[in-house]
Amino acid sequence: MTPLPNPKLWSKPSIGFLQTQEAFANGGWWHDHRILEATGEGIEKEELRAWNGWWNERIVDLVKLSVQQSDALTILLTGRSEDNFAELIKRMVASKELEFDMICLKPQAGPNNQIFNNTMGFKQAILKDLLCTYTEANEVKVYEDRPNHVRTFREYLDRLNKELLVPVATTLRKPTMAEVIQVADMMTTLDPVIETAEIQRMIHAHNTSLSNGGQSQSGLCAIKRHVFYTGYLIGPVDTLKLLDLVPLPQGISEHEVKFLANSILITAGPFTPYIRDRVGDIGHKQAWQVIGIGAYEGRVFAARVAPVPADAPYHTDNPVPLVVLALLRGAHPADASRIQNWQPLSSDKQFIVQTEVEEKIQLHIERVADGRGYNERNSNNRFTKKPRLNDNGPAAEKDHSRFVPSGPHKGFFNDENRRVNGPPGGNGVHKGANLHRGKPAGHDGPQSRYPIRSHNRGARGVANNRAGSRMRGGRGGYKSLDDVQSNARFGSQGNSYQPNYDDNPGPTVTSAPNG
């Protein structure tokens, strides 16, 4: 249910930093209950409507069916901390009127004072206690959305079964039929304004704690704004029309292609006064006629455009205004500037796209002490280029230095971190808990060795079924926070792909400096 840090809002290293518990004095993204409270339109509104539209209704149905079985123990097991999330999860559970036999949250210490350094260690301890208590249970099902946890659960349950076959096994019970079901792993994010405000609040609390003697792996931090590029941004409707022009080579899988078609580059970085005079201010609208298509070495595909009206002032750092449509794996957008042979489109195939001048901004978390942002470490990827003439204007200013983000950065990751492209996982049916209710006669539950917080029951279904069915409806066109449609068909030619509204601004022309 919890959203992930928005990859279009934050730099990659900052996303890793946000999800690292040790980086923040107050625990960071996964340990701050206010991030979860901000889901949707906030807890005050969402609780009244039971977070309608944010559930995986397939999992909700499975929970209800499981609860109705008198011979099944239905459990919600999560690595959320008991101190920070118990009350919030109880409210969410009650709003949906689900009933779990147990709801487990990770305590500060186990019943024997053991410290759980990661979520999986805690979950394994719970599963083992359950199997040692319910010695007549012959089947275990775990629903999990984190691929590495799916693999670890399978290995762990298989190892437990092998241990039970040893003649001197300490636990007198038969092996179980264990099944770990991987469910759909999709992503959702908060409203960008809310997310930025929540992270600012989190950083303020972190800095206040350090000023009062608190401890963390990082020092004082601040959010910094970086203008990645300025461009004529294209809306999603026109993006789909442009993607119809992509002539994919035969035998190329769509998984090997990165689809863009989202902008016409003006310049890397923010406006200069000259460029502002040429293109207008932020929000200025400009129409473009799509007049041709081209490719470079069959790996980079682009559309050539012309301003409408033809004498409208514009600026681009590229030799001609163009839209990068798609890249094959390993190709670079800058290569589109090398296209020499443009195939003109006939007048009946030309169309107009609408754009708006915008800055593409990313935020990053920066250490205040040394002024180095996490997305600037070991990054000297700057270059200069000679000024170019555009089709109807003078040479651009000679200051063409630009920041080019380097490839994948290594952030601060540990087992508590979640995938950048997937939701928080682990919650489903048939798992363990430290909020316990009894079963009918003849079904006595275990005496929970973990602190009992409440007898309230119920929880959210969080993942999809093993078939990965997409539940539709609800706000935003999906039923679950992790159930976003990803296989929509775009384009009249029947191409089945998902547009990638990538942060890449498209090509820029590079040349070696003179001298």
Side-chain angles (χ1 to χ4, degrees):
M1 178 176 179
T2 304
L4 290 163
N6 191 336
K8 295 190 180 301
L9 189 61
W10 304 96
S11 64
K12 289 182 180 179
S14 293
I15 289 176
F17 182 76
L18 284 170
Q19 297 181 92
T20 302
Q21 180 178 3
E22 295 79 12
F24 284 90
N26 49 7
W29 185 276
W30 297 108
H31 301 270
D32 190 327
H33 63 89
R34 283 167 289 198
I35 297 293
L36 186 56
E37 289 177 354
T39 299
E41 295 187 39
I43 188 170
E44 277 70 28
K45 291 185 178 180
E46 295 294 344
E47 185 174 25
L48 295 176
R49 55 197 182 203
W51 281 269
N52 183 41
W54 293 95
W55 297 79
N56 186 320
E57 297 296 341
R58 175 61 176 165
I59 293 296
V60 170
D61 291 341
L62 289 174
V63 170
K64 292 178 179 179
L65 289 173
S66 182
V67 169
Q68 292 172 6
Q69 292 183 242
S70 61
D71 60 346
L73 190 69
T74 307
I75 303 162
L76 170 64
L77 177 57
T78 174
R80 298 286 183 181
S81 67
E82 193 174 50
D83 291 340
N84 291 337
F85 289 93
E87 292 303 317
L88 176 57
I89 288 179
K90 285 192 295 183
R91 290 172 66 176
M92 291 178 165
V93 163
S95 73
K96 195 63 175 177
E97 298 182 349
L98 294 177
E99 295 188 357
F100 284 87
D101 299 308
M102 301 173 69
I103 301 176
C104 273
L105 297 96
K106 187 168 67 175
Q108 289 186 350
N112 296 318
N113 285 328
Q114 65 265 48
I115 302 299
F116 301 109
N117 293 324
N118 54 59
T119 295
M120 180 51 67
F122 162 67
K123 291 180 177 180
Q124 289 177 349
I126 289 286
L127 280 175
K128 187 170 184 178
D129 277 355
L130 288 167
L131 291 173
C132 291
T133 301
Y134 289 96
T135 56
E136 298 301 317
N138 56 20
E139 183 179 2
V140 176
K141 286 188 178 182
V142 177
Y143 291 77
E144 174 63 68
D145 68 339
R146 296 171 67 178
N148 60 326
H149 278 198
V150 170
R151 181 179 63 255
T152 305
F153 270 130
R154 287 172 178 166
E155 294 172 352
Y156 179 71
L157 291 170
D158 182 62
R159 185 168 67 251
L160 280 182
N161 276 336
K162 289 179 180 178
E163 292 175 358
L164 293 175
L165 294 173
V166 177
V168 293
T170 56
T171 302
L172 299 178
R173 63 156 299 136
K174 297 179 181 179
T176 60
M177 294 177 57
E179 183 179 10
V180 182
I181 301 164
Q182 183 170 344
V183 296
D185 175 17
M186 300 301 292
M187 176 184 176
T188 190
T189 58
L190 295 174
D191 176 272
V193 175
I194 294 176
E195 180 169 340
T196 304
E198 289 297 327
I199 298 304
Q200 181 62 66
R201 177 199 51 75
M202 185 189 302
I203 290 176
H204 176 71
H206 164 80
N207 291 342
T208 301
S209 176
L210 292 187
S211 299
N212 294 330
Q215 300 291 323
S216 80
Q217 289 185 351
S218 60
L220 300 177
C221 297
I223 296 175
K224 297 297 181 180
R225 176 181 179 271
H226 173 70
V227 179
F228 187 39
Y229 70 93
T230 303
Y232 300 97
L233 300 194
I234 300 169
V237 173
D238 285 334
T239 288
L240 298 183
K241 292 166 64 177
L242 286 164
L243 290 177
D244 269 346
L245 301 175
V246 179
L248 285 183
Q250 289 189 354
I252 296 295
S253 167
E254 290 168 357
H255 298 292
E256 302 178 64
V257 183
K258 188 176 192 177
F259 296 96
L260 300 174
N262 55 15
S263 67
I264 301 165
L265 177 70
I266 295 176
T267 188
F271 285 171
T272 63
Y274 167 76
I275 293 175
R276 189 182 300 273
D277 290 342
R278 297 289 298 168
V279 306
D281 215 329
I282 296 295
H284 173 74
K285 291 179 170 49
Q286 175 64 53
W288 300 84
Q289 181 94 8
V290 182
I291 60 175
I293 58 173
Y296 179 74
E297 295 184 345
R299 298 171 56 80
V300 180
F301 305 92
R304 184 169 178 174
V305 295
V308 178
D311 60 351
Y314 72 90
H315 178 88
T316 178
D317 281 358
N318 290 311
V320 298
L322 58 85
V323 181
V324 180
L325 301 177
L327 308 169
L328 296 190
R329 184 175 298 171
H332 301 286
D335 289 336
S337 63
R338 302 184 181 186
I339 298 174
Q340 298 295 322
N341 299 317
W342 294 94
Q343 177 183 347
L345 293 176
S346 60
S347 58
D348 61 315
K349 292 185 178 179
Q350 295 183 12
F351 57 92
I352 302 291
V353 297
Q354 301 294 334
T355 65
E356 188 169 336
V357 175
E358 295 288 350
E359 290 180 326
K360 188 65 177 180
I361 298 170
Q362 270 199 325
L363 303 177
H364 64 272
I365 300 172
E366 185 175 276
R367 287 179 177 171
V368 174
D370 58 14
R372 295 174 61 195
Y374 292 101
N375 67 336
E376 295 174 341
R377 292 182 181 181
N378 304 320
S379 179
N380 297 315
N381 296 332
R382 292 180 174 270
F383 58 85
T384 60
K385 78 177 191 70
K386 297 176 182 178
R388 294 274 183 171
L389 289 174
N390 65 24
D391 285 349
N392 70 340
E397 295 180 345
K398 293 185 178 181
D399 181 12
H400 287 274
S401 63
R402 65 224 332 89
F403 171 79
V404 178
S406 58
H409 295 255
K410 291 182 179 180
F412 298 80
F413 291 95
N414 61 19
D415 185 81
E416 297 304 302
N417 300 333
R418 307 302 177 102
R419 303 164 303 287
V420 171
N421 293 321
N427 303 344
V429 188
H430 297 292
K431 290 191 179 181
N434 48 8
L435 306 183
H436 177 260
R437 73 170 171 93
K439 292 297 283 187
H443 235 83
D444 295 334
Q447 295 297 319
S448 177
R449 299 163 60 194
Y450 297 85
I452 297 176
R453 293 290 184 184
S454 168
H455 293 286
N456 284 3
R457 303 172 295 187
R460 296 172 47 115
V462 177
N464 207 338
N465 63 344
R466 80 182 85 178
S469 61
R470 301 289 187 262
M471 309 300 291
R472 305 189 180 189
R475 285 192 311 285
Y478 52 92
K479 273 290 184 184
S480 160
L481 217 59
D482 34 272
D483 221 354
V484 183
Q485 295 186 50
S486 62
N487 293 320
R489 300 181 66 85
F490 296 94
S492 58
Q493 297 178 0
N495 295 328
S496 175
Y497 47 72
Q498 178 78 355
N500 183 345
Y501 299 98
D502 194 86
D503 287 341
N504 202 311
T508 56
V509 182
T510 67
S511 61
N514 293 327

